[in-house]
């Protein structure tokens, strides 16, 4: 309504006349012909809008929906409530399910909580304050009195649903029951077992912050909020898993992120129907992205809140899963997976150099072994300037068998390093190096060149920022090796072309996986090849289809 618009003239011909000048009968007849949604545009609608709005059918349906089902209602007597807890929550069977019964102001009460997830100090302080109540302090609506005056906690609400009460208690909250009330008060008292933010394991940097995500979703949200004090930053919470009830949060900046991408992520998470996701973000990825047998990762994981904040500013959507110390970044391309935070912690020249070294390591981890094997088995294909490639001796075993055995040996060493206790890792590494690097060569099982090139390829795999991409590149290397063994140069070319074409058709949340190479985007490709200075990095990636393209004034 325009505040400068003059009020309509009042008619004085009839005390019940409409401001438009028509009689009440005519006005009633005219209003009966108004279609729904048109009343605000008709004369006299301004006057009627000042009154109390009538209850709509949608409001009635919401109210009916809010009413709990008969089997979901809370018993109005405390004995019946305790019996419900024995049947549904295992009271008196589960040692961690506790109900503290006390009488406050002549009202029997019960405090339901899990001893393993609740803060004893907070609950004790609340009960201590309630002990000072006298019978005259409680009104006829006892639950409302406790809610309004006597329970000193910040996050508290009322609920009439038994299932909602159980879900909150299993999440670590506490439920306060008053005898004679078919409702409970739910308030925050949770204290999850966890660790403090520590340096990320897979994304270490020489300079920069050392705090990484933990298994608590609240801590992870706080780490992001600390870096992004933007009122447009949104965290939408939902639950996944019928039994685990895992908290999942979608994070995005409202005036930057593409709403279609946000809705696509939200709809796919809501469509997940599964008992639970105890393994956290990886199981959620498989239920939403559906990679099937594709070895390449279609999402990027990050353990660093500064990296996640930078991607949010670029228009990405992130997914946080409770109990997971990493965050999913969407959408993801192949070139996103080969970038590291260390490049942006150095000046542009050094950052570009580090990026090129990393690119070389990634390419070496894929193509070095197949190319060397092809030139060693077919010397006539070798260019003159690569005269040093090849081997004078091939050893007692065929080269392809040597490569396969070394590949399996490196994987075994990697798995052994993961599962070996920390004090024994060094000893295990020395034993493995002696067995494979020295004794295997002296006995003639392997040749020096196989060990050398396999070591270079393994270093390139470990230099790949994304652990998942490094494993996928290893599968590609094995496929190229087998294709070269079976069909020589033709097999290498055909296999490499088939893998490249299949990657060109892969999409991550409707984003081309090989962007900005396919489809080609010149400025974005330059940003991949070079670590450009921040003052020249003016625009957000066009892949994200952001609402605001400029990061800085052009």
């Amino acid at each position: 309504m325009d505040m400068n618009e003059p009020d309509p003239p009042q008619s004085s011909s009839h005390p019940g006349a409409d401001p438009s000048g028509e009689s009440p009968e005519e006005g009633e007849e005219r209003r009966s012909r108004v279609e729904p949604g048109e009343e605000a545009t008709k004369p006299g609608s301004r006057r009627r809008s000042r009154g109390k709005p009538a209850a709509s059918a949608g409001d009635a349906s919401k109210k009916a929906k809010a009413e709990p089902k008969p089997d979901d209602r809370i018993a109005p007597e405390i004995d019946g409530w305790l019996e419900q807890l024995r049947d549904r929550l295992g009271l008196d069977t589960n040692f961690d399910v506790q109900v503290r019964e006390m009488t406050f102001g002549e009202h029997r009460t019960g405090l339901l909580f899990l001893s393993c997830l609740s803060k004893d100090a907070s609950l004790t302080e609340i009960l201590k304050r309630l002990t000072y109540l006298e019978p005259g302090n409680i009104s006829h609506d006892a639950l409302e009195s406790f809610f309004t005056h006597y329970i000193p906690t910040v996050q508290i609400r009322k609920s009439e649903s038994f299932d909602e009460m159980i879900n909150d208690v299993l999440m670590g909250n506490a439920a306060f029951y008053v005898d004679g009330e078919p409702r409970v008060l739910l308030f925050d008292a949770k204290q999850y077992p966890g660790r403090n933010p520590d340096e990320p394991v897979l994304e270490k940097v020489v300079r920069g912050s050392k705090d990484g995500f933990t298994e608590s979703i609240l801590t992870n949200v706080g780490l992001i909020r600390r870096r992004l004090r933007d009122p447009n930053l949104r965290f939408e919470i939902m639950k996944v898993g019928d039994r685990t009830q895992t908290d999942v949060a979608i994070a995005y900046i409202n005036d930057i992120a593409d709403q279609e991408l946000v809705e696509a992520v939200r709809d796919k998470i809501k469509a997940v129907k599964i008992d639970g996701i105890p393994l956290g973000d990886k199981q959620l990825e498989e239920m939403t992205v559906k990679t099937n047998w594709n070895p390449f990762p279609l999402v990027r994981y990050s353990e660093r809140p500064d990296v996640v904040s930078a991607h949010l500013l670029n228009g990405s959507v992130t997914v946080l899963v409770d109990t997971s110390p990493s965050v999913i970044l969407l959408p993801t391309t192949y070139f996103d997976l080969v970038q590291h935070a260390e490049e942006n912690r150095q000046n542009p020249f050094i950052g570009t150099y580090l990026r090129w070294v990393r690119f070389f390591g990634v390419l070496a981890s894929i193509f070095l072994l197949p190319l060397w094997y092809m030139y060693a088995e077919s010397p006539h294909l070798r260019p003159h300037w690569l005269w040093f490639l090849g081997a004078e001796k091939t050893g007692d075993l065929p080269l392809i068998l040597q490569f396969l055995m070394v590949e399996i040996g490196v994987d075994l060493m990697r798995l052994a390093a993961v599962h070996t206790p920390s004090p024994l890792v060094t000893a295990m590494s020395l034993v493995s190096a002696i067995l494979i690097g020295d004794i295997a060569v002296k006995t003639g099982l392997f040749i020096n060149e196989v060990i050398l090139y396999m070591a270079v390829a393994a270093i390139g795999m470990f230099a790949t920022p994304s652990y998942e991409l490094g494993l996928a590149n290893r599968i590609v290397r094995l496929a190229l090796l087998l294709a070269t063994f079976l069909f020589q140069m033709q097999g290498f070319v055909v296999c490499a072309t088939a893998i490249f074409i299949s990657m060109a058709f892969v999409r991550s949340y409707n984003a081309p996986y090989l962007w900005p190479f396919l489809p080609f985007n010149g400025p974005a490709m330059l940003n991949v090849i070079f670590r450009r200075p921040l003052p020249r990095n003016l625009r957000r990636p066009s892949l994200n289809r952001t609402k605001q393209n400029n990061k800085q004034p052009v």
Side-chain angles (χ1 to χ4, degrees):
M1 182 176 70
D2 190 355
M3 300 302 296
N4 296 324
E5 181 183 354
D7 290 335
Q10 300 293 330
S11 174
S12 59
S13 60
H14 193 280
D18 192 87
S20 61
E22 61 187 358
S23 65
E25 292 78 6
E26 293 174 345
E28 185 66 28
E29 182 181 358
R30 176 186 56 79
R31 286 191 294 271
S32 66
R33 295 195 300 267
V34 174
E35 295 294 332
E38 294 182 358
E39 184 173 344
T41 62
K42 298 295 182 180
S45 61
R46 289 179 55 195
R47 181 180 177 183
R48 286 191 299 274
S49 64
R50 295 174 183 172
K52 185 177 179 180
S56 62
D59 296 335
S61 63
K62 290 180 180 179
K63 185 176 180 180
K65 185 178 180 181
E67 291 290 334
K69 298 179 180 179
D71 57 348
D72 189 30
R73 293 175 180 171
I74 298 175
E77 302 293 335
I78 191 170
D79 294 332
W81 180 65
L82 294 175
E83 189 63 31
Q84 284 181 316
L85 294 179
R86 293 187 184 96
D87 294 338
R88 301 278 295 276
L89 198 56
L91 181 64
D92 300 334
T93 301
N94 291 319
F95 74 94
D96 58 335
V97 179
Q98 301 288 332
V99 174
R100 180 68 169 98
E101 296 186 55
M102 296 187 72
T103 300
F104 302 115
E106 297 184 348
H107 289 274
R108 289 182 62 190
T109 64
L111 182 64
L112 172 66
F113 61 95
L114 294 183
S115 58
C116 59
L117 296 180
S118 299
K119 291 183 286 189
D120 294 340
S122 300
L123 297 179
T124 302
E125 181 64 23
I126 291 175
L127 294 178
K128 179 180 178 181
R129 296 197 178 198
L130 293 179
T131 55
Y132 295 107
L133 291 178
E134 296 181 359
N137 298 131
I138 306 298
S139 65
H140 65 281
D141 192 343
L143 190 77
E144 188 67 26
S145 297
F146 285 112
F147 175 76
T148 307
H149 302 291
Y150 302 119
I151 296 184
T153 184
V154 177
Q155 300 183 24
I156 184 171
R157 70 184 191 278
K158 292 177 284 189
S159 176
E160 299 179 359
S161 171
F162 192 84
D163 290 338
E164 183 182 7
M165 179 192 69
I166 289 182
N167 292 335
D168 268 53
V169 170
L170 292 177
M171 193 170 59
N173 293 335
F176 187 78
Y177 178 87
V178 179
D179 188 22
E181 296 281 350
R183 299 174 296 170
V184 293
L185 298 180
L186 302 173
F187 55 89
D188 183 19
K190 54 181 171 288
Q191 184 179 24
Y192 292 149
R195 57 185 176 90
N196 295 325
D198 200 358
E199 184 176 9
V201 177
L202 299 178
E203 295 180 276
K204 295 181 179 181
V205 294
V206 178
R207 294 187 182 275
S209 61
K210 305 300 181 182
D211 55 344
F213 291 125
T214 68
E215 289 75 15
S216 172
I217 191 172
L218 293 177
T219 303
N220 297 341
V221 170
L223 291 173
I224 298 175
R225 287 280 189 189
R226 184 180 179 186
R227 290 166 171 81
L228 273 179
R229 301 175 183 179
D230 189 348
N232 290 300
L233 179 59
R234 302 288 187 265
F235 288 95
E236 297 184 10
I237 194 73
M238 58 190 71
K239 294 186 181 296
V240 176
D242 295 336
R243 295 184 181 273
T244 60
Q245 292 288 308
T246 306
D247 292 323
V248 177
I250 303 174
Y252 60 94
I253 300 180
N254 192 38
D255 59 342
I256 294 179
D258 179 25
Q259 289 302 315
E260 292 185 2
L261 175 62
V262 175
E263 292 176 3
V265 176
R266 184 191 300 122
D267 293 342
K268 287 190 176 182
I269 294 177
K270 287 184 177 180
V272 173
K273 302 298 180 184
I274 192 172
D275 279 354
I277 50 173
L279 299 183
D281 48 9
K282 184 57 185 176
Q283 289 184 320
L284 182 66
E285 175 203 344
E286 293 187 10
M287 292 298 296
T288 55
V289 181
K290 294 181 174 57
T291 57
N292 296 325
W293 292 99
N294 180 18
F296 290 98
L298 298 184
V299 301
R300 178 182 177 183
Y301 292 96
S302 179
E303 299 175 344
R304 299 187 61 88
D306 52 357
V307 172
V308 173
S309 301
H311 277 263
L312 285 172
L313 289 173
N314 282 333
S316 296
V317 176
T318 66
V319 179
L320 298 84
V321 182
D322 195 27
T323 71
S324 296
S326 55
V327 171
I328 299 175
L329 301 175
L330 300 169
T332 300
T333 67
Y334 186 90
F335 296 100
D336 288 334
L337 300 170
V338 295
Q339 298 185 24
H340 194 270
E342 179 66 21
E343 302 159 3
N344 295 291
R345 292 290 180 179
Q346 305 297 332
N347 63 60
F349 185 86
I350 300 301
T352 300
Y353 167 75
L354 295 177
R355 185 171 294 183
W356 288 0
V357 171
R358 184 171 289 110
F359 287 167
F360 172 78
V362 173
L363 292 176
S365 67
I366 299 175
F367 297 107
L368 184 60
L369 264 65
L371 286 175
W372 184 88
Y373 177 77
M374 181 178 65
Y375 291 141
E377 290 292 311
S378 305
H380 62 282
L381 299 176
R382 182 176 60 202
H384 179 70
W385 59 277
L386 293 178
W387 57 269
F388 56 89
L389 293 181
E392 296 180 0
K393 299 179 181 179
T394 59
D396 298 335
L397 296 176
L399 286 179
I400 185 63
L401 189 57
Q402 294 183 37
F403 276 123
L404 294 179
M405 292 179 64
V406 171
E407 289 275 6
I408 295 175
V410 171
D411 278 335
L412 286 175
M413 286 192 296
R414 179 179 58 83
L415 294 175
V418 172
H419 302 302
T420 302
S422 299
L424 302 178
V425 170
T426 302
M428 187 276 299
S429 301
L430 290 175
V431 171
S432 301
I434 293 173
L435 289 176
I436 295 181
D438 187 28
I439 298 178
V441 173
K442 288 182 178 179
T443 57
L445 188 63
F446 300 136
I447 62 176
N448 291 324
E449 287 83 354
V450 170
I451 301 297
L452 171 64
Y453 291 111
M454 185 64 225
V456 175
I459 292 174
M461 185 192 73
F462 294 134
T464 305
S466 172
Y467 178 72
E468 293 80 11
L469 181 62
L471 296 178
N473 290 340
R474 165 165 289 194
I475 299 299
V476 173
R477 180 173 70 241
L478 287 174
L480 292 175
L481 267 174
L482 293 176
T484 305
F485 166 71
L486 294 174
F487 305 104
Q488 288 76 41
M489 184 177 182
Q490 293 83 358
F492 176 84
V493 174
V494 171
C495 183
T497 304
I499 293 174
F500 180 80
I501 293 175
S502 64
M503 291 174 61
F505 284 98
V506 173
R507 304 182 76 85
S508 171
Y509 277 86
N510 204 31
Y513 195 55
L514 293 181
W515 186 91
F517 185 71
L518 284 179
F520 186 75
N521 186 308
M525 196 66 198
L526 287 178
N527 283 336
V528 171
I529 298 175
F530 300 96
R531 209 288 266 176
R532 301 179 66 184
L534 188 60
R536 302 180 111 188
N537 196 2
L538 304 177
R539 298 184 181 277
R540 296 184 173 90
S542 60
L543 176 72
N544 295 335
R545 300 185 295 274
T546 56
K547 298 177 182 178
Q548 300 180 17
N549 295 327
N550 296 331
K551 294 194 289 186
Q552 304 178 41
V554 180

